[in-house]
Amino acid sequence: GSHMQRRDFAGLTYTRLLHRWNLPHAQANLWFVGMAGSARAQERAGSETLGSLSLLADFETTRVYTGAGVEIKRAGPLRHDTAYARAGFSFYEVEYEETQPWLILEAKRERYSLTTKNTVTPMLRFINKSYFVEVGGNRDGAVLNFMLNF
């Protein structure tokens, strides 16, 4: 099988909403994310300059979510390109103050310098006006995304 090297990234991320479409019962967004920083590979001394560019799009109603994105990441000789698609639904509608649970399925294709890897990850998402949590897992391990809104 393929052997993935561990890499540690540190950087600053810039996120910008490029466009939002407010539809009668739905919303669609187009996002740009840029990151610059450094990457350190476990098997090599020193660190490389890291840069990444992403374009993300999503469409959601109060009950249905779809999203897709691409990310191009470069650090010295490291090339890491990712494309993903997500789809999901919420179990029920909630009031604004309540937490809404979602079931999301993500299909991801990652291309490292010479290796291609496909994963499917089921996730539970919890959205509240002040936080966003995703937990899930696949054959590679667990996924946890957490955001706090101030």
Side-chain angles (χ1 to χ4, degrees):
S2 66
H3 177 64
M4 296 288 166
Q5 307 291 352
R6 177 175 161 182
R7 292 197 165 61
D8 296 315
F9 299 110
L12 291 174
T13 301
Y14 172 76
T15 304
R16 182 176 178 88
L17 178 63
L18 295 178
H19 196 76
R20 172 166 288 158
W21 293 267
N22 287 307
L23 308 163
H25 300 287
Q27 178 180 289
N29 302 293
L30 184 62
W31 298 90
F32 167 83
V33 182
M35 186 174 72
S38 68
R40 170 167 282 142
Q42 212 176 26
E43 71 277 8
R44 283 203 305 273
S47 57
E48 308 273 5
T49 300
L50 165 74
S52 89
L53 297 173
S54 303
L55 209 52
L56 317 170
D58 61 51
F59 172 86
E60 61 189 286
T61 70
T62 55
R63 296 295 303 277
V64 175
Y65 169 86
T66 58
V70 291
E71 180 189 45
I72 296 168
K73 193 181 284 173
R74 298 290 182 266
L78 169 72
R79 301 167 62 88
H80 183 186
D81 300 332
T82 304
Y84 74 87
R86 289 178 159 195
F89 65 92
S90 70
F91 297 100
Y92 47 84
E93 292 197 35
V94 298
E95 297 301 318
Y96 178 68
E97 309 78 33
E98 297 177 313
T99 298
Q100 188 170 22
W102 293 73
L103 179 65
I104 307 279
L105 196 62
E106 177 187 80
K108 184 189 283 187
R109 181 176 179 86
E110 294 176 274
R111 179 171 289 153
Y112 297 89
S113 303
L114 300 169
T115 314
T116 300
K117 179 171 133 190
N118 299 312
T119 50
V120 174
T121 308
M123 289 180 277
L124 280 174
R125 173 187 286 179
F126 301 93
I127 298 179
N128 181 286
K129 64 178 188 275
S130 54
Y131 64 83
F132 170 104
V133 180
E134 281 180 338
V135 291
N138 58 38
R139 64 178 184 241
D140 296 328
V143 174
L144 172 65
N145 294 318
F146 179 77
M147 276 189 300
L148 205 53
N149 300 315
F150 295 103

